[in-house]
Amino acid sequence: MRAEIQNIVAEIEKTLDLLAQRMDYETAPHRLEEFNARVEAPDLWNDPEKARKLMHERQMLVDALDTHSGIRRELDDNVELIELGEAEGDTEVVTEAENALRALREKAAQKELEALLDGEADSNDTFLEINAGAGGTESCDWASMLARMYVRWAEKKGYKVELQSESPGEEAGIKSATYKISGHNAYGWLKSESGVHRLVRISPFDSAAKRHTSFSSVWVYPVVDDNIEIEVAPNDIRIDTYRSSGAGGQHVNTTDSAVRITHFPTGIVVTSSMKSQHQNREQAMLTLKARLYQLELDRRMASTLEAHENKGEAGWGNQIRSYVLQPYQMVKDLRTNHETSDTKGVLDGDLDGFMAATLAMDVSGKSRAEAQGAG
């Protein structure tokens, strides 16, 4: 078997291992038996909501098992055909089986990504919050570059992007901005982007053309849908209104329409300043509930909780990814060691490779140190 085909087979085997790990393959048949027994219970539909959830969980397991067995069967069949074809000198059979394996690799890669995006809130819309770190104008400009990067990524995905609030920098860029990004699996994709992002470049604001390092933080949390109940006690929050302004021009909004909500137990502060005061109150409350829900998700995921608690300020030691434009071109994720020299492509929104690598690391259960050590 040619080296290229051996590599393709190895890639598909790796995907099968990940799919098996994702569904806990060793216990899957037993869990399916339990599901089958429960769905046959005569009182199943006495609680319709519970029944629908049970049926959904069962179907997810069935689909996962079918996907794994289907890929395994296709892989084994085509490897066997290649071996037989080579033994009999039938190049037509070998070529056909090799082409089938190439197609199977693409199918397996797609199923692998789908398996990584099956968390509780992964299919939800998401909020994306960007904040400039220490560094004044440099960091504000970097924050605006990140905002552009994520907007372009979302647009390539066909997602809807809405600016919820924005605070401009004093000379350039933005101090902060919050976006709502709507589309299937928006949160599932973007959740891996939470953390501090570091930029190294020749500063366009430095007349001496010196190299500067800038930091900005990104925080991602899911939009809470109607199926998720988050209670916010009135005594736990303070709602303030304040004067807001738009980006400039004759339609600048200078009314007391912006809304800020402070949640005392957690210290979370959210704002909305792009709509009417009534709409802003609704939007700010939705954002607050999303942040509180993210905290609950964090508590269930030890690695994410650690990241949240150690979020710290946007500066040295806290970064998850470095974007180096000078003296060489490289974007590198410090959690997975995934990297590329196509810095322009990344800043134009080509982020899927980084996201997929982090999702795969989360599934494998590796820590950041382990992932770096494996690289």
Side-chain angles (χ1 to χ4, degrees):
M1 190 182 299
R2 295 188 300 114
E4 179 206 352
I5 302 304
Q6 289 177 344
N7 290 336
I8 291 175
V9 170
E11 287 182 43
I12 298 172
E13 290 282 6
K14 185 177 179 180
T15 292
L16 285 170
D17 288 344
L18 186 144
L19 293 175
Q21 184 179 19
R22 190 61 170 163
M23 66 171 155
D24 193 0
Y25 188 77
E26 296 299 323
T27 66
H30 176 66
R31 284 183 286 124
L32 183 57
E33 289 180 5
E34 291 183 343
F35 275 130
N36 289 338
R38 292 168 66 186
V39 299
E40 292 173 3
D43 61 347
L44 172 67
W45 291 98
N46 289 351
D47 187 338
E49 184 176 346
K50 185 177 180 180
R52 281 192 292 271
K53 182 178 180 182
L54 178 65
M55 296 295 285
H56 176 67
E57 291 177 351
R58 177 188 177 277
Q59 191 59 49
M60 285 181 63
L61 181 58
V62 169
D63 290 345
L65 284 166
D66 287 348
T67 294
H68 188 276
S69 62
I71 293 174
R72 167 56 67 189
R73 184 171 55 253
E74 284 189 59
L75 175 61
D76 292 345
D77 287 349
N78 283 293
V79 168
E80 184 177 350
L81 279 174
I82 290 174
E83 292 173 347
L84 287 173
E86 289 177 341
E88 298 177 2
D90 191 335
T91 56
E92 185 176 346
V93 168
V94 171
T95 299
E96 184 176 340
E98 288 181 346
N99 289 335
L101 282 177
R102 292 187 182 94
L104 181 60
R105 175 177 57 180
E106 299 303 317
K107 174 183 175 182
Q110 183 60 40
K111 293 299 182 181
E112 180 177 323
L113 282 180
E114 291 175 6
L116 297 177
L117 294 171
D118 66 351
E120 179 178 344
D122 281 356
S123 63
N124 288 31
D125 300 339
T126 191
F127 290 111
L128 173 75
E129 178 185 312
I130 300 170
N131 291 283
T137 300
E138 288 289 339
S139 292
C140 288
D141 189 53
W142 173 222
S144 68
M145 291 170 65
L146 284 172
R148 174 184 176 277
M149 180 180 77
Y150 288 116
V151 168
R152 291 209 167 190
W153 173 85
E155 290 172 347
K156 289 179 180 179
K157 287 285 186 183
Y159 292 160
K160 179 181 178 182
V161 180
E162 299 173 88
L163 180 63
Q164 301 297 309
S165 63
E166 183 179 273
S167 175
E170 294 179 3
E171 296 182 32
I174 57 174
K175 292 180 180 177
S176 65
T178 301
Y179 294 88
K180 180 182 178 183
I181 299 177
S182 305
H184 183 60
N185 284 334
Y187 172 69
W189 277 109
L190 280 166
K191 66 182 181 182
S192 64
E193 295 299 294
S194 286
V196 175
H197 297 246
R198 168 179 173 251
L199 173 69
V200 179
R201 66 169 176 174
I202 299 296
S203 171
F205 305 100
D206 186 343
S207 58
K210 292 183 178 179
R211 195 164 67 245
H212 284 248
T213 299
S214 307
F215 299 92
S216 288
S217 66
V218 173
W219 199 242
V220 177
Y221 37 96
V223 174
V224 180
D225 57 30
D226 295 336
N227 297 321
I228 301 172
E229 294 184 4
I230 301 292
E231 294 185 5
V232 178
N235 293 338
D236 286 344
I237 62 174
R238 183 182 72 237
I239 302 177
D240 300 309
T241 59
Y242 62 96
R243 188 173 299 273
S244 64
S245 61
Q250 61 179 335
H251 300 297
V252 170
N253 175 7
T254 57
T255 61
D256 293 326
S257 64
V259 171
R260 178 191 297 113
I261 298 180
T262 303
H263 187 249
F264 299 125
T266 62
I268 291 174
V269 178
V270 296
T271 62
S272 183
S273 58
M274 294 296 165
K275 302 176 182 177
S276 70
Q277 184 169 317
H278 175 71
Q279 289 174 309
N280 277 327
R281 290 172 75 96
E282 291 183 350
Q283 185 58 55
M285 185 59 72
L286 179 62
T287 304
L288 173 61
K289 289 183 176 181
R291 291 284 296 273
L292 293 174
Y293 180 60
Q294 179 65 50
L295 287 179
E296 176 58 28
L297 291 179
D298 290 348
R299 292 188 183 99
R300 302 177 197 174
M301 299 175 63
S303 60
T304 307
L305 177 58
E306 181 182 359
H308 177 76
E309 291 177 338
N310 295 333
K311 186 179 175 184
E313 65 178 79
W316 287 103
N318 298 313
Q319 64 264 24
I320 63 167
R321 188 176 302 149
S322 289
Y323 305 70
V324 181
L325 306 185
Q326 289 288 342
Y328 55 89
Q329 303 273 311
M330 181 66 68
V331 180
K332 181 175 182 177
D333 195 287
L334 305 180
R335 299 162 297 181
T336 64
N337 283 333
H338 182 80
E339 62 183 38
T340 179
S341 59
D342 183 16
T343 55
K344 183 179 186 302
V346 170
L347 293 174
D348 279 338
D350 186 6
L351 296 167
D352 284 359
F354 288 96
M355 294 176 179
T358 308
L359 288 168
M361 182 194 73
D362 290 342
V363 170
S364 70
K366 288 184 179 180
S367 67
R368 178 186 295 193
E370 290 170 335
Q372 290 175 325

